[in-house]
Amino acid sequence: MSEHILLPEGSIEKQTTTLNLGPTHPATHGVFQNILELDGERILKSTSTVGYIHRAFEKLAERRPLYQITPLTDRLNYCSSPINNMGWHITCEKLLGIQLPKRVDYLRIIIMELSRISDHLICNSIVGVDSGAFSGFLYLMQFRELIYEIYEEVCGSRLTTNIGRIGGFERNFTETAFAKLDQFLATYPAQLKEFESMFNRNRIFMERTIGCGPISAEKALNYGFTGPNLRAAGVDYDVRVHTPYSSYEDFEFTIPVGSTGDCYDRFFGAPTGNVAEYQYHRTGL
Amino acid sequence: MPLTNELIQQKLIDQFGDQITEWTQPYGMLTFTAPKELNLKVLQFLYDDPELRFQFLTDLQAVHFPDRKGEELMVVYHLHNLTDNIRIRLKIYTDIATPDVYSATALYKSANFMERETYDFFGVNFVGHPNLIRILNVDEMDYFPLRKEFPLEDQSRTDKDDDMFGR
Amino acid sequence: MRPVQYNNKLKTVEPPAGVMGDGYMATSLEKVVGLARKNSIWPLPFATSCCGIEFMATAASHYDLARFGAERMSFSPRQCDLLMVMGTISKKMGPVLRQVYLQMAEPRWVLSVGACACSGGIFDTYSVLQGIDQVIPVDVYVPGCPPRPEAILDGFLKIQELVGQESLRRRKSEKYKDLLESYGIQ
């Protein structure tokens, strides 16, 4: 534990400061402790302690029948719970050898893309809140409410949805669900543009996030990054394109890929790519 | 030549002979078993070989088989070749009395946390790991919870009504 | 010219019982202090998991929590009145929660949001604390998994009622001291 930490050249400090960014911190959103060695504002080394919400999903899942595990998967990534549900259902269908009709695949894609959007809405608006820009959060949470209403039409619940069953859905999507989906698609792109105009070229935001925590592509691959973080580091890998599940191969979409992997690139992660797909989904049905 | 499961199998057999056993392909994913002393050599070979290039460690976990005596704990590595989009699975068996397995942290940094988690839940001792302590459970815990003999529920609870829970 | 509109649908709250006169009102100190405190609670959102996201939805503009006086979310326990525990508390987190509770100054209230905080929820496992009332005293429990924002607001309103009616001597009374003793808090 007591390795000697070398201060970088040109530092005016004599020794590093140790700061405990404790388990309960507003920016960690949940609990994640970091003991930081700082040189002024730069973090030289951090020791993390995780496990403060360890809920023993694997052991619980050993004792439950397959359909009772779906509510457990909801709570794995609670910002976008339908994706976890669908992932579990697709796995079970592979095990059981069930073939699905195309309509189920397309409906699943709609729900998954909606939840992907809602997850990125939270992530991006919270980046704003953490750096002090609170209004973006209020604008985008309104759209999360619209997405919640669509979930309620389909499955009855807002956040931890337990959507779908192994082999399909529990009921067909109602006309109101489609009407709400159309209304969402009509109003969301404009609001996203407004949000982007507040953040993307905002000088304060750019100065705070560009160059903050960059990760090179080799390091990201070695550390096992996947998803938007890997794409922000410059690796153009997306599971939906390379190993398409649930009929993703029928649709065309663009994936944003960053270059330096710093916070600014990660912020650009996803909301932009998804909206175009939707229009295709609706016509797909 | 596009990389296929047969090609991977052939190259591994050429390099390691019959030390690698139990070749299966459940759902199209090539799976094989190696003796536990060879795990780093196999991983290094899969990483360095210019045709194989399995340079992404997707997952590292363990499974407890209480009925296989002498080989109760199985450490499983899921590797992924991103350019050719092929996944393979490597299994290492070790017995429960001396669960020592060489650590893959020098090769894959992602193995650091994953091996700590495997140690925390199953007690597999990774030799050469820089900081092998518990990661998800309380530090004072003295048993390894995911082994099959341990119960799920918290045993110190006194207010649960047994007939409501079907016991 | 746009026609003038008057908002007639105002609901005024009853003033506390007291003697009204010409430019003064005499009532008991407890009622005034309670009225002031309950409409300006500073909560500490101790959000660990899914209920934290529902809390974020409650604090957003659709189900605004700020209109009940909770505009300023304090993140430091030394400056807050209400500890809102939202989400699963595991055994590793228990001492941290207790420490945060101990750092709060009197008068303090605790709102336990969600099934996991109230009783462990669906996670009946070796690593989850089966209810935060094993480590700290709780005032209001909000059940649900996750509770709808309306339910969280309902819990908050119940806390407001408790705050408004609290006697000024409660925190020094024997009963309260015994309650804290039973949790091992001095």
Side-chain angles (χ1 to χ4, degrees):
Chain A
M1 225 349 252
S2 55
E3 317 158 9
H4 188 64
I5 301 173
L6 296 167
L7 288 165
E9 303 290 319
S11 160
I12 58 173
E13 308 281 332
K14 295 275 190 307
Q15 61 184 25
T16 58
T17 320
T18 308
L19 180 70
N20 174 27
L21 202 74
T24 64
H25 186 92
T28 57
H29 297 297
V31 281
F32 174 36
Q33 182 192 29
N34 280 307
I35 302 181
L36 305 171
E37 300 281 343
L38 296 168
D39 162 36
E41 268 192 351
R42 288 190 57 195
I43 301 178
L44 295 176
K45 175 169 152 52
S46 92
T47 318
S48 343
T49 312
V50 296
Y52 286 103
I53 36 169
H54 171 52
R55 295 181 273 190
F57 286 108
E58 288 107 359
K59 189 111 181 144
L60 262 178
E62 280 176 13
R63 309 298 170 92
R64 302 272 179 269
L66 292 181
Y67 46 87
Q68 279 190 1
I69 299 181
T70 324
L72 290 179
T73 56
D74 270 336
R75 281 125 180 111
L76 289 168
N77 175 7
Y78 31 82
C79 301
S80 60
S81 26
I83 300 188
N84 309 330
N85 292 140
M86 299 303 159
W88 173 245
H89 292 322
I90 293 174
T91 311
C92 288
E93 282 146 18
K94 204 167 164 186
L95 268 178
L96 297 168
I98 300 179
Q99 290 293 329
L100 294 174
K102 273 283 183 197
R103 191 184 162 89
V104 168
D105 277 345
Y106 288 2
L107 288 177
R108 277 187 174 167
I109 290 185
I110 291 185
I111 292 287
M112 284 199 277
E113 289 304 319
L114 266 180
S115 55
R116 205 180 301 260
I117 287 187
S118 85
D119 197 338
H120 291 132
L121 282 178
I122 283 207
C123 294
N124 282 6
S125 49
I126 291 294
V127 163
V129 171
D130 286 339
S131 7
F134 197 74
S135 327
F137 169 73
L138 293 175
Y139 290 173
L140 290 185
M141 287 303 271
Q142 195 188 344
F143 283 88
R144 247 186 97 91
E145 293 294 329
L146 287 180
I147 295 181
Y148 281 169
E149 282 185 21
I150 300 176
Y151 289 165
E152 277 177 337
E153 282 298 321
V154 175
C155 71
S157 151
R158 283 161 54 101
L159 185 69
T160 49
T161 46
N162 196 3
I163 262 188
R165 301 285 179 259
I166 297 174
F169 281 89
E170 62 269 38
R171 62 182 79 87
N172 197 0
F173 282 23
T174 55
E175 280 308 312
T176 7
F178 284 124
K180 287 191 172 160
L181 188 59
D182 286 332
Q183 186 204 4
F184 175 78
L185 289 175
T187 49
Y188 175 60
Q191 190 66 56
L192 183 64
K193 270 213 169 9
E194 191 175 345
F195 179 75
E196 286 180 354
S197 70
M198 280 205 311
F199 278 90
N200 287 5
R201 305 303 296 171
N202 182 337
R203 184 189 163 129
I204 304 177
F205 186 70
M206 284 171 72
E207 286 200 8
R208 283 200 70 162
T209 53
I210 292 185
C212 176
I215 298 188
S216 67
E218 292 79 28
K219 216 168 172 185
L221 281 175
N222 207 342
Y223 269 103
F225 278 29
T226 49
N229 284 334
L230 186 63
R231 293 197 281 278
V235 180
D236 59 344
Y237 177 75
D238 187 339
V239 180
R240 294 174 287 173
V241 174
H242 288 85
T243 323
Y245 50 92
S246 178
S247 303
Y248 262 106
E249 62 267 14
D250 296 345
F251 297 97
E252 271 183 33
F253 42 96
T254 52
I255 318 276
V257 177
S259 50
T260 54
D262 58 12
C263 293
Y264 193 59
D265 281 344
R266 281 179 271 198
F267 175 78
F268 273 86
T272 49
N274 292 321
V275 184
E277 303 182 49
Y278 265 139
Q279 322 292 1
Y280 289 125
H281 299 158
R282 291 291 283 119
T283 58
L285 277 174
Chain B
M1 200 163 34
L3 200 57
T4 58
N5 284 346
E6 284 75 26
L7 200 69
I8 304 172
Q9 183 167 352
Q10 194 56 45
K11 291 198 85 137
L12 280 166
I13 292 183
D14 288 340
Q15 177 81 8
F16 292 102
D18 56 359
Q19 291 174 312
I20 299 194
T21 52
E22 288 179 24
W23 294 92
T24 49
Q25 290 197 26
Y27 301 101
M29 191 182 200
L30 185 63
T31 307
F32 52 92
T33 307
K36 71 177 187 185
E37 295 77 25
L38 282 189
N39 71 333
L40 280 189
K41 294 200 175 54
V42 175
L43 287 174
Q44 190 75 44
F45 175 66
L46 289 167
Y47 192 99
D48 291 331
D49 188 277
E51 277 191 353
L52 292 181
R53 279 174 311 192
F54 281 97
Q55 292 169 348
F56 192 81
L57 180 69
T58 310
D59 196 15
L60 199 170
Q61 258 297 342
V63 188
H64 182 216
F65 293 103
D67 298 330
R68 286 176 78 127
K69 297 296 174 208
E71 284 193 328
E72 283 95 353
L73 289 176
M74 174 183 91
V75 178
V76 54
Y77 298 82
H78 284 85
L79 298 164
H80 191 189
N81 178 340
L82 287 173
T83 38
D84 298 308
N85 201 12
I86 305 217
R87 297 181 190 260
I88 58 172
R89 184 185 290 133
L90 165 64
K91 301 192 200 182
I92 308 280
Y93 286 96
T94 173
D95 68 307
I96 211 164
T98 53
D100 299 317
V101 177
Y102 292 116
S103 161
T105 16
L107 193 56
Y108 295 107
K109 294 234 177 36
S110 48
N112 194 327
F113 269 21
M114 294 204 261
E115 286 177 355
R116 275 177 70 180
E117 185 188 356
T118 314
Y119 165 70
D120 189 2
F121 287 130
F122 291 94
V124 179
N125 181 21
F126 286 95
V127 177
H129 191 278
N131 186 20
L132 194 68
I133 54 177
R134 286 192 181 265
I135 186 170
L136 289 180
N137 282 315
V138 187
D139 287 325
E140 297 88 43
M141 193 184 252
D142 53 3
Y143 63 100
F144 298 110
L146 242 62
R147 291 193 182 171
K148 299 281 192 286
E149 58 261 23
F150 292 108
L152 169 67
E153 291 94 2
D154 181 11
Q155 296 304 302
S156 61
R157 198 170 168 184
T158 49
D159 57 347
K160 262 204 321 217
D161 191 354
D162 272 350
D163 10 293
M164 300 283 278
F165 285 88
R167 278 186 280 274
Chain C
M1 274 263 298
R2 218 170 45 144
V4 178
Q5 294 168 330
Y6 294 101
N7 184 4
N8 301 338
K9 294 192 288 248
L10 291 172
K11 180 179 150 228
T12 44
V13 183
E14 290 290 319
V19 177
M20 284 267 256
D22 201 13
Y24 73 92
M25 182 186 178
T27 175
S28 69
L29 184 62
E30 272 178 7
K31 296 202 176 66
V32 174
V33 169
L35 191 65
R37 273 183 183 159
K38 80 178 189 185
N39 290 321
S40 66
I41 298 183
W42 286 5
L44 192 165
F46 195 95
T48 47
S49 46
C50 349
C51 288
I53 308 292
E54 276 302 45
F55 170 75
M56 279 170 24
T58 312
S61 36
H62 202 97
Y63 301 99
D64 195 7
L65 187 59
R67 56 194 158 128
F68 298 106
E71 175 70 45
R72 181 199 184 267
M73 306 281 165
S74 139
F75 284 100
S76 157
R78 306 234 182 244
Q79 297 169 2
C80 75
D81 300 316
L82 170 69
L83 178 66
M84 302 174 73
V85 183
M86 296 172 285
T88 321
I89 302 292
S90 67
K91 295 214 174 113
K92 204 165 173 181
M93 193 66 191
V96 177
L97 178 63
R98 204 180 146 90
Q99 188 67 18
V100 168
Y101 181 74
L102 290 176
Q103 286 177 340
M104 284 167 72
E106 297 286 2
R108 55 192 171 187
W109 292 271
V110 177
L111 174 68
S112 154
V113 175
C116 293
C118 296
S119 69
I122 65 173
F123 299 108
D124 185 10
T125 69
Y126 57 87
S127 69
V128 170
L129 199 61
Q130 303 289 308
I132 60 171
D133 47 12
Q134 311 227 347
V135 288
I136 55 180
V138 177
D139 291 298
V140 173
Y141 297 87
V142 181
C145 191
R148 278 194 67 106
E150 287 99 340
I152 303 180
L153 289 175
D154 187 37
F156 194 81
L157 289 177
K158 285 198 162 48
I159 288 265
Q160 278 194 329
E161 266 180 49
L162 279 181
V163 173
Q165 294 160 1
E166 174 158 314
S167 140
L168 286 178
R169 293 200 201 97
R170 177 181 175 232
R171 303 284 164 173
K172 304 232 182 332
S173 65
E174 278 307 312
K175 199 162 163 208
Y176 186 69
K177 284 198 172 42
D178 287 338
L179 174 68
L180 289 189
E181 276 300 313
S182 69
Y183 280 97
I185 303 173
Q186 272 74 38

